[in-house]
Amino acid sequence: MQMKDDGSTGPAAWIGSRVTHQTRDLARATAYYRDLLGLRPRGGFADHDGYDGAFFALPGGGELELTVGPVEPAPGTEEDLLVLYVRTLDEVGAVAAGLVAAGVRAVTSPNPYWNRWGQTFLDPDGRRVVVAATESSDVDPQGQSAASGGPPTIDIGWHVGAREDLRPLFEFAEDSPRQLDDYLGLGEVLVAVRGSTTVGHLQLLPSTNSDEVELKNMAVVPDHRGTGVGRALVRAAISGCAAEGWSRMVVATAAADIGNLRFY
């Protein structure tokens, strides 16, 4: 504790901070944090009472320490997180795409906040690293402006009711009733709900390739277009598919539909 002028005590005058993770394989963990996440190395140590370690600079001035030694690492929980921030959701997507391409496993966070604002990945020891956007930098991916007002937020989840209930939404994106009949009941469907109203959907079907999933049908009701619902659905689909092991998502749309091409 720090002694104040009046003789009372208060918080210490902290001059630094460090987060320490025990790892089973220091070389592999070092490559993950240095090469894949791009954290700047700050040296390390060898054989300190049986422990080896490496230091990395964290954004904002702190440090991450990785150590390996005679003690087996204790498993973390789903809520034990290292969060690395970028400014925008587009940057989150770019970082996430690189990690997925490198074979890093993505998982869904039990806290919906991290699924809205970022994507969660496992390090070589199974600890969770969240790549997240700062709230002030973008529009809430569920449809509400982070800086001011905007439409009410939306909830996104898997549809569990009768698929026929969603036919009016499917018909926004499918002109042929016969073709819609062929695939309406297939695959899985995400729905976006604002208040008590379903305002959008996204259907996913396995493709002919074993590691590939197809975005088959997607639509947002007209009054809610342009408010982030479509982007939120696509982001939720990508996060969910990555967590389930799919490595590629494909979508087909008419070449003459410039609006859809620009969106995707």
Side-chain angles (χ1 to χ4, degrees), residues 177-200:
R178 179 175 297 178
Q179 290 188 28
L180 181 55
D181 287 340
D182 290 340
Y183 69 80
L184 176 63
L186 302 179
E188 295 182 276
V189 176
L190 284 167
V191 290
V193 179
R194 179 168 277 157
S196 59
T197 304
T198 300
V199 297

Side-chain angles (χ1 to χ4, degrees), residues 30-81:
T30 293
Y32 177 86
Y33 285 97
R34 180 192 62 207
D35 302 334
L36 296 182
L37 294 181
L39 297 185
R40 182 168 57 87
R42 279 188 174 174
F45 58 90
D47 196 22
H48 283 195
D49 297 319
Y51 286 85
D52 299 336
F55 303 125
F56 299 88
L58 289 174
E63 283 187 341
L64 171 67
E65 176 184 355
L66 302 176
T67 62
V68 62
V71 179
E72 183 73 10
T77 73
E78 293 183 341
E79 299 288 4
D80 292 330
L81 309 173

Side-chain angles (χ1 to χ4, degrees), residues 14-255:
W14 310 121
I15 61 171
S17 62
R18 178 180 293 168
V19 176
T20 300
H21 285 170
Q22 183 82 345
T23 179
R24 295 176 178 84
D25 187 330
L26 184 59
R28 185 182 179 198
T30 293
Y32 177 86
Y33 285 97
R34 180 192 62 207
D35 302 334
L36 296 182
L37 294 181
L39 297 185
R40 182 168 57 87
R42 279 188 174 174
F45 58 90
D47 196 22
H48 283 195
D49 297 319
Y51 286 85
D52 299 336
F55 303 125
F56 299 88
L58 289 174
E63 283 187 341
L64 171 67
E65 176 184 355
L66 302 176
T67 62
V68 62
V71 179
E72 183 73 10
T77 73
E78 293 183 341
E79 299 288 4
D80 292 330
L81 309 173
L82 172 64
V83 182
L84 299 175
Y85 284 99
V86 292
R87 285 180 296 197
T88 69
L89 289 168
D90 288 340
E91 289 180 89
V92 170
V95 173
L99 292 174
V100 171
V104 179
R105 182 185 170 195
V107 295
T108 301
S109 174
N111 184 339
Y113 179 90
W114 298 119
N115 297 325
R116 288 199 301 271
W117 288 103
Q119 295 193 45
T120 304
F121 296 89
L122 298 183
D123 79 357
D125 294 288
R127 289 191 174 89
R128 295 183 174 225
V129 178
V130 180
V131 180
T134 57
E135 291 185 327
S136 60
S137 66
D138 213 326
V139 173
D140 185 323
Q142 290 193 346
Q144 182 176 7
S145 168
S148 62
T153 58
I154 65 173
D155 294 313
I156 295 178
W158 297 107
H159 179 69
V160 294
R163 192 66 60 84
E164 190 67 28
D165 293 343
L166 300 179
R167 177 176 281 270
L169 276 172
F170 275 76
E171 290 174 345
F172 283 124
E174 177 58 74
D175 295 328
S176 170
R178 179 175 297 178
Q179 290 188 28
L180 181 55
D181 287 340
D182 290 340
Y183 69 80
L184 176 63
L186 302 179
E188 295 182 276
V189 176
L190 284 167
V191 290
V193 179
R194 179 168 277 157
S196 59
T197 304
T198 300
V199 297
H201 83 290
L202 184 153
Q203 182 188 33
L204 295 168
L205 300 180
S207 78
T208 54
N209 297 322
S210 61
D211 62 344
E212 187 176 85
V213 66
E214 178 185 3
L215 195 167
K216 179 65 175 178
N217 187 296
M218 173 182 167
V220 176
V221 298
D223 289 347
H224 292 264
R225 293 172 186 171
T227 65
V229 175
R231 182 174 63 176
L233 282 164
V234 172
R235 282 181 48 78
I238 291 173
S239 178
C241 288
E244 293 180 7
W246 299 100
S247 61
R248 179 178 171 87
M249 180 184 293
V250 297
V251 61
T253 190

